[in-house]
Amino acid sequence: MCGIAGIIGRNANKETISRMLEAQKHRGPDFTAYYFHDNKVALGHNRLSIIDLSSNANQPFTSACGNFVLVFNGEIYNYIELKAALQYKYHFCTQSDTEVLLYAYLEWGERCLDQCNGMFSFAIWNKKEQTLFAARDRFGVKPFYYFFDHSTFYFASEINTLFAAGIPKIANDNVWLNYFAEGSYGLPNETFWQTIEQLPGGHFLTLKKNNLQLKQWYSFENRVHSLFQHFENNEEEYITNLLLKAINLRFRADVPIGFNLSGGLDSSTLLALIDQQEIDKSAVEAFTFITNDSRYDEITWVKAMLENRPYPLTICPLSANEIPELSLKMALHQAEPYGGIPTLAYSKVFQAASQKGVKVLLDGQGSDEAWAGYDYYLNNNQNIIQGVSKSPFRINILDADFAKDFQKTIYPKHFGDDLLNLQYRDLFYTKIPRALRFNDRVSMLYGTELREPFLDYELVEYVFSRPTDFKIKDGVQKWMLRKIAEKFLQKEVVLAPKRPLQTPQREWLSTALKDWVIGEVTPLKNHHWFNSKSLQSELDLFYKGDTQSSFHIWQWINAAQLLK
């Protein structure tokens, strides 16, 4: 995992690409370089060395013929298999997945994307054709932001990198409005800033002579529809093998690997699957965060799961008094609203891993969406936040002139089944896109790589396409996953109830951090988006005990920190 950046067009220059790379150097502290040609092409790379640690694998990476230049962020997990398929024609000089990706593109063109199992965001410059090709993985695990003014095209792994290039920071009113009114973080191509867009997951782009074209290369819905009538003789065994394969692929690295562990089913299953790998398990470390609040901490479960297992455990504490400084640091780093104190707690895991020299972590992200694990899947409502019975949004605090333009986001429904449509929404529009963005930034802030085996595309497609009773049976969610996990773990761990809240965010914001919250939020009263009296009224209600949700309070903190 690394950072990529580029400038194509008349404004390309060495000074700007250098500033861009400096802005995201945390993503790749091991090596930084750029390719510059003819005052119109600059491609830069910050390397975090994971596979083939030699300098031969440094980027930008040029093909043997000298015509193609690649910058690549992510991992191609099946690079060994792809390399075997290409060796008859290409001579490989490294052991890296970078070189495999470049020659896969030379061999198959855009169709190479279908061959790749991984998380990736990359760009390839064709010198002869004067063409840029860039692509993003199926679920958008790795980021790709860009700005195009029809004379110069800028791209980068982070929004702040584009700001460093001089791209103006102008709030995208519609995205901010929908964030406040319905908790949306924008559509797959949007950001919270007018001038900056995303290349959506499962898409590629081409740029030639200032003609920019985007195309979808991955259709999840088509793939799933083709699987609806497909059943293996032993479904449980088949899915178990998909899970084991996903873990096995993600253990390909030339650096230490660890994993994030909580007390829930997803972490329990991850642990069980890691147990099955033929590796030196004493070298694989487990990490978990705590807030020293027994209502939320799962350390008792975590220690019970690790009992009689060889994995060393690192406990990563977060305290309320760290929040003011850490929240601002994270807001400025994310450059968009993020998920509150749980995100800050998770960042402590990556900080600890980095300090211990563990460069790669695995976690259980994606399981709830594929296996229907959220509470609102049971009652088929349109919530996007768990554990609430009333709306967590406070649209009444917005200025009437600002709020009048609100239009509820309508998500596509590709399936004739309400549950599948909710799962699809969460995979491609709500839960997964925002979680991937939060997690990419917190992991890369500390120069660590996060891998998500439950988002292996073959696994997600197959599980998503299974009948409802594979996911929810007799009121038990993620039924088949629990059944598989029971083969490896104690039943009482497998069936631990899901916790909708991970940290004492409500408690901290309403008590220990009350003065800080008021100090952060008060400046919004003077912002033209907000109604001062209504904002104060809702703040008062929160401090009088209306604390079922603190999401709206965190929204305001995020806004105040980002709009300064």
Side-chain angles (χ1 to χ4, degrees):
M1 195 185 294
C2 307
I4 61 173
I7 314 168
I8 311 296
R10 67 186 185 190
N11 292 331
N13 63 82
K14 294 180 179 179
E15 292 76 17
T16 303
I17 193 68
S18 295
R19 285 200 312 273
M20 294 172 75
L21 292 170
E22 178 66 20
Q24 62 180 32
K25 63 182 179 181
H26 48 272
R27 296 187 69 92
D30 296 328
F31 183 79
T32 295
Y34 60 79
Y35 163 84
F36 184 75
H37 181 69
D38 203 22
N39 290 318
K40 62 181 179 182
V41 180
L43 299 177
H45 190 263
N46 308 93
R47 186 181 183 197
L48 180 67
S49 303
I50 302 292
I51 295 174
D52 186 346
L53 309 185
S54 74
S55 61
N56 293 333
N58 287 341
Q59 300 181 46
F61 194 93
T62 303
S63 62
C65 65
N67 187 54
F68 298 90
V69 183
L70 164 70
V71 286
F72 160 47
N73 169 29
E75 305 291 349
I76 308 300
Y77 298 125
N78 64 332
Y79 74 100
I80 294 173
E81 291 77 9
L82 291 178
K83 186 175 183 178
L86 293 165
Q87 276 181 323
Y88 79 100
K89 186 173 181 180
Y90 299 92
H91 173 68
F92 288 87
C93 300
T94 76
Q95 300 301 311
S96 71
D97 57 338
T98 301
E99 187 176 21
V100 173
L101 174 61
L102 182 55
Y103 288 127
Y105 176 75
L106 267 60
E107 180 67 13
W108 297 306
E110 68 186 54
R111 291 183 297 109
C112 75
L113 300 169
D114 296 315
Q115 305 291 323
C116 293
N117 185 342
M119 54 178 187
F120 51 82
S121 176
F122 67 87
I124 296 175
W125 177 249
N126 183 326
K127 298 180 187 179
K128 182 179 179 181
E129 299 293 333
Q130 297 285 286
T131 301
L132 184 76
F133 176 86
R136 195 172 177 200
D137 65 72
R138 294 167 179 83
F139 296 111
V141 180
K142 293 293 96 196
F144 190 102
Y145 296 101
Y146 69 91
F147 167 83
F148 184 46
D149 65 1
H150 300 285
S151 67
T152 305
F153 180 81
Y154 299 79
F155 69 88
S157 294
E158 295 189 4
I159 289 173
N160 284 329
T161 309
L162 295 176
F163 290 152
I167 307 306
K169 184 178 180 180
I170 304 170
N172 187 331
D173 285 13
N174 288 334
V175 174
W176 279 100
L177 175 55
N178 282 51
Y179 171 63
F180 294 126
E182 63 177 10
S184 165
Y185 287 76
L187 295 174
N189 64 308
E190 294 179 317
T191 74
F192 281 76
W193 311 105
Q194 274 187 35
T195 50
I196 297 174
E197 294 187 70
Q198 294 188 73
L199 177 64
H203 285 66
F204 68 77
L205 63 79
T206 55
L207 178 70
K208 185 172 185 178
K209 295 181 179 179
N210 283 327
N211 179 25
L212 178 66
Q213 294 188 337
L214 274 68
K215 182 179 178 181
Q216 183 178 4
W217 67 267
Y218 175 64
S219 174
F220 178 81
E221 51 272 27
N222 288 347
R223 300 266 303 186
V224 167
H225 277 293
S226 71
L227 289 170
F228 278 142
Q229 301 307 317
H230 177 89
F231 292 91
E232 296 291 326
N233 290 331
N234 187 328
E235 289 280 274
E236 182 179 333
E237 180 181 320
Y238 182 75
I239 295 171
T240 299
N241 287 333
L242 286 177
L243 285 161
L244 289 167
K245 177 185 174 185
I247 298 288
N248 181 267
L249 287 175
R250 283 155 185 82
F251 262 87
R252 290 179 171 176
D254 296 324
V255 295
I257 295 179
F259 60 98
N260 174 44
L261 194 60
S262 67
L265 174 64
D266 302 338
S267 284
S268 307
T269 307
L270 179 63
L271 174 63
L273 296 168
I274 292 173
D275 276 344
Q276 308 308 306
Q277 303 301 307
E278 295 182 4
I279 54 175
D280 176 7
K281 297 181 177 64
S282 65
V284 179
E285 295 201 40
F287 296 82
T288 192
F289 69 75
I290 61 170
T291 59
N292 290 307
D293 188 322
S294 60
R295 293 169 296 180
Y296 300 96
D297 290 347
E298 300 185 343
I299 188 63
T300 302
W301 290 93
V302 169
K303 287 182 175 179
M305 285 191 287
L306 290 175
E307 192 174 348
N308 299 319
R309 286 186 165 89
Y311 313 104
L313 173 65
T314 297
I315 299 171
C316 313
L318 176 72
S319 60
N321 60 15
E322 297 178 85
I323 300 303
E325 181 180 347
L326 190 54
S327 68
L328 180 59
K329 176 182 178 180
M330 190 61 66
L332 298 178
H333 175 63
Q334 296 261 349
E336 295 185 291
Y338 65 94
I341 290 176
T343 302
L344 300 180
Y346 202 24
S347 75
K348 300 291 256 182
V349 166
F350 296 102
Q351 183 182 34
S354 178
Q355 290 169 348
K356 300 197 78 171
V358 177
K359 276 191 169 184
V360 175
L361 286 177
L362 275 63
D363 82 355
Q365 187 71 56
S367 173
D368 284 316
E369 292 77 12
W371 295 85
Y374 294 121
D375 58 9
Y376 52 73
Y377 290 145
L378 278 174
N379 50 24
N380 189 29
N381 65 40
Q382 297 301 307
N383 285 353
I384 60 171
I385 293 177
Q386 287 204 108
V388 296
S389 57
K390 61 179 285 189
S391 173
F393 314 119
R394 302 293 186 269
I395 195 170
N396 59 301
I397 60 96
L398 299 176
D399 178 79
D401 192 52
F402 178 56
K404 70 177 176 20
D405 294 325
F406 170 62
Q407 292 185 334
K408 187 174 177 61
T409 305
I410 305 299
Y411 299 104
K413 296 185 177 181
H414 294 292
F415 306 98
D417 179 279
D418 289 338
L419 175 61
L420 292 180
N421 285 323
L422 277 177
Q423 290 181 265
Y424 181 84
R425 178 203 69 179
D426 286 353
L427 274 168
F428 291 97
Y429 289 90
T430 56
K431 292 283 192 179
I432 287 296
R434 74 191 190 210
L436 291 175
R437 193 252 295 172
F438 301 164
N439 294 346
D440 174 82
R441 300 308 179 279
V442 297
S443 62
M444 294 311 299
L445 177 60
Y446 297 106
T448 53
E449 174 173 286
L450 178 62
R451 298 179 175 183
E452 285 118 344
F454 290 129
L455 279 177
D456 184 279
Y457 80 95
E458 293 178 324
L459 175 66
V460 175
E461 288 172 359
Y462 197 77
V463 170
F464 186 98
S465 70
R466 297 307 84 195
T468 297
D469 65 2
F470 273 65
K471 305 166 191 174
I472 303 173
K473 190 168 185 175
D474 299 326
V476 176
Q477 294 181 265
K478 297 197 281 195
W479 181 81
M480 178 59 80
L481 185 62
R482 293 177 187 274
K483 195 166 184 287
I484 291 170
E486 281 178 16
K487 292 190 298 188
F488 306 114
L489 292 168
Q490 305 130 324
K491 187 170 183 179
E492 60 268 22
V493 174
V494 174
L495 299 178
K498 185 171 181 63
R499 300 160 181 81
L501 301 174
Q502 300 168 294
T503 66
Q505 175 170 296
R506 298 177 302 182
E507 292 81 358
W508 285 1
L509 296 182
S510 62
T511 55
L513 296 173
K514 178 179 178 179
D515 291 343
W516 171 73
V517 172
I518 293 171
E520 290 293 296
V521 172
T522 295
L524 292 182
K525 294 178 182 179
N526 298 318
H527 195 286
H528 66 278
W529 286 349
F530 298 92
N531 180 297
S532 176
K533 289 184 178 179
S534 298
L535 181 64
Q536 184 61 54
S537 177
E538 285 293 344
L539 202 55
D540 291 342
L541 285 172
F542 182 72
Y543 287 116
K544 289 176 182 176
D546 185 8
T547 58
Q548 183 190 73
S549 171
S550 60
F551 180 73
H552 58 296
I553 304 296
W554 193 263
Q555 285 182 312
W556 306 340
I557 294 169
N558 261 190
Q561 292 177 332
L562 288 166
L563 296 172
K564 289 179 179 178

